[in-house]
Amino acid sequence: MKLSFEEKETFAKSMALIINAGFDIYQGIDMIEQSEDNPRLKTVLKEVLENLQEDTTLSQAISKTQAFDDYMVHLLEAGEISGHLDGVMSSLSDYYQRMKDMSSSLKQAITYPIVLLLMMQVVVGVIVFKVLPIFQGLKSLGGELSTYAYTFMKCGQIFSFMGFLVLTIVFISLISIFIYAKIKHVDLLSVFIYRIPFMKKLSYALSHAQMTYAFSMFISSGYEFEDAIQYTLPLIEEKQLKENLKKCLVDLQADMPFEETLANNQIYHGMKLNILQVGIKTGQVDQIFQQLSMTYQDEVNESIAHFLNVIEPTMVTFLSVIVGIVLLSVMLPIVSILSSL
């Protein structure tokens, strides 16, 4: 059983308050479990308490339940190592709130186009397999098709079939994404961000925000750059960024300066890299990482807003073009028949 973004946000927010109040982790989770009305979260918290009794850390206890995502597990591990568990819980609460809002917005944005897609697939299917074949028996209607109308009708048949095929592929793809999310026990939003090719920019920005926040947490706790990268690597899901970060670690182990490894392996670019290099020279690198993390998060929010503003009109336009051409391929033969009567 996987918890939703809302349930994970509730847990993280409650834990942040409890840790800040000075309560013991076990005692705090017990308090949340007793006051929780959500049966799913209540069941998971009971399992976490049982795991904690086995003298495990909070991250290990949460990992054993398999109800939380890897990002929470790895970030909690980082918080336990760095001693910033309260800050991590607060950050996780904000993260899951943003993800919940993003997921809700995404569902609202694609619901109407998906319904329209299904309707258009039915309409185009009826036209392709029922309406257009009727024009093969035109003699019974008492009219004949002109060469132009017949040619257009044949082209329309081909285009209609291709349109129906495209709509079917899109529909099957959406169903496949849904099934994949269920099998892998991941949220649909995560699948869209990290698995869909045209979402690469968004996934890169989100991974950058997560990585930069982790850097700021470790470096502010006094960890060396090399250790910070080692502990941050498990947090990164974007493949290219993860590979670049591994190369950066190799360069650091070869005694290359931190700012030089970041530039050579394209971890940061342009103005962000320049600001970071200044922060390293002035001894304010942890503060710079915090600022960069907020900057990347703003970029994530802007990318999501842009995607949501584009996806619905794009799908509606695509479907309208297909239906328009299909209808023309039907109407022109009818006009030709009526003119020959």
Side-chain angles (χ1 to χ4, degrees):
M1 176 178 62
K2 287 286 186 179
L3 295 179
S4 66
F5 287 136
E6 184 176 3
E7 291 165 334
K8 286 182 282 193
E9 179 199 356
T10 299
F11 171 71
K13 184 178 295 184
S14 300
M15 285 301 298
L17 293 173
I18 285 172
I19 295 174
N20 284 328
F23 286 96
D24 175 76
I25 290 179
Y26 183 93
Q27 182 183 7
I29 295 178
D30 186 50
M31 292 168 57
I32 299 172
E33 187 272 327
Q34 291 181 16
S35 61
E36 184 58 50
D37 295 328
N38 185 325
R40 285 165 44 88
L41 183 55
K42 194 178 187 71
T43 300
V44 171
L45 292 179
K46 286 181 179 179
E47 189 175 349
V48 172
L49 288 171
E50 292 174 359
N51 294 335
L52 284 173
Q53 290 176 342
E54 301 175 2
D55 195 28
T56 61
T57 63
L58 177 60
S59 60
Q60 292 171 339
I62 283 178
S63 178
K64 288 181 180 179
T65 66
Q66 297 184 342
F68 299 88
D69 52 55
D70 291 338
Y71 180 67
M72 173 176 275
V73 174
H74 292 314
L75 199 58
L76 285 179
E77 289 176 349
E80 290 165 345
I81 294 169
S82 64
H84 286 169
L85 195 56
D86 54 341
V88 166
M89 281 298 182
S90 179
S91 175
L92 283 170
S93 174
D94 294 339
Y95 169 74
Y96 288 121
Q97 182 179 14
R98 289 193 299 267
M99 295 295 282
K100 179 186 68 176
D101 293 341
M102 288 161 49
S103 181
S104 176
S105 299
L106 181 63
K107 289 176 182 177
Q108 291 176 7
I110 67 176
T111 296
Y112 172 69
I114 287 178
V115 172
L116 187 61
L117 172 68
L118 293 176
M119 294 176 61
M120 292 302 99
Q121 187 176 19
V122 172
V123 171
V124 173
V126 170
I127 293 175
V128 170
F129 298 108
K130 295 295 183 181
V131 177
L132 292 179
I134 292 176
F135 293 101
Q136 303 298 326
L138 293 173
K139 291 182 179 180
S140 61
L141 297 177
E144 295 291 340
L145 283 176
S146 66
T147 302
Y148 171 76
Y150 181 79
T151 302
F152 193 90
M153 185 193 73
K154 296 301 291 184
C155 293
Q157 284 180 318
I158 297 173
F159 182 85
S160 300
F161 180 78
M162 291 176 61
F164 179 79
L165 186 62
V166 169
L167 292 174
T168 302
I169 292 174
V170 172
F171 180 71
I172 292 175
S173 299
L174 292 173
I175 295 297
S176 300
I177 291 173
F178 179 79
I179 293 175
Y180 175 85
K182 287 294 184 181
I183 293 176
K184 295 294 184 178
H185 302 291
V186 295
D187 188 87
L188 278 175
L189 181 63
S190 299
V191 176
F192 266 96
I193 291 177
Y194 292 110
R195 299 292 184 270
I196 305 300
F198 60 82
M199 299 291 284
K200 185 174 180 62
K201 182 179 179 181
L202 177 58
S203 67
Y204 196 78
L206 184 58
S207 292
H208 252 100
Q210 295 168 346
M211 175 192 69
T212 307
Y213 172 76
F215 279 165
S216 68
M217 182 175 59
F218 282 113
I219 293 173
S220 63
S221 300
Y223 282 81
E224 297 293 333
F225 295 132
E226 184 177 331
D227 295 330
I229 291 179
Q230 287 179 329
Y231 289 126
T232 301
L233 271 172
L235 298 174
I236 310 303
E237 291 193 49
E238 211 282 324
K239 294 181 179 179
Q240 186 59 54
L241 180 59
K242 194 163 190 170
E243 287 300 316
N244 291 345
L245 203 57
K246 288 179 180 178
K247 295 177 182 177
C248 187
L249 180 60
V250 173
D251 290 342
L252 280 176
Q253 291 171 344
D255 295 328
M256 187 178 292
F258 183 56
E259 61 271 25
E260 189 175 335
T261 64
L262 294 179
N264 291 344
N265 294 289
Q266 300 182 334
I267 303 299
Y268 295 100
H269 310 271
M271 184 63 69
K272 297 183 180 69
L273 178 60
N274 294 336
I275 293 174
L276 184 56
Q277 289 172 337
V278 172
I280 293 174
K281 293 177 181 178
T282 59
Q284 297 177 324
V285 63
D286 55 333
Q287 299 173 5
I288 297 299
F289 272 128
Q290 290 176 1
Q291 294 174 6
L292 287 179
S293 177
M294 296 174 62
T295 300
Y296 277 116
Q297 189 56 58
D298 290 341
E299 291 180 2
V300 170
N301 295 337
E302 291 175 3
S303 297
I304 292 170
H306 177 72
F307 171 74
L308 295 178
N309 290 333
V310 168
I311 182 173
E312 184 172 330
T314 299
M315 291 188 67
V316 171
T317 301
F318 170 71
L319 294 174
S320 299
V321 170
I322 291 180
V323 173
I325 295 179
V326 170
L327 290 178
L328 279 176
S329 68
V330 173
M331 294 303 298
L332 284 180
I334 292 177
V335 172
S336 177
I337 293 170
L338 293 177
S339 64
S340 66
L341 292 178

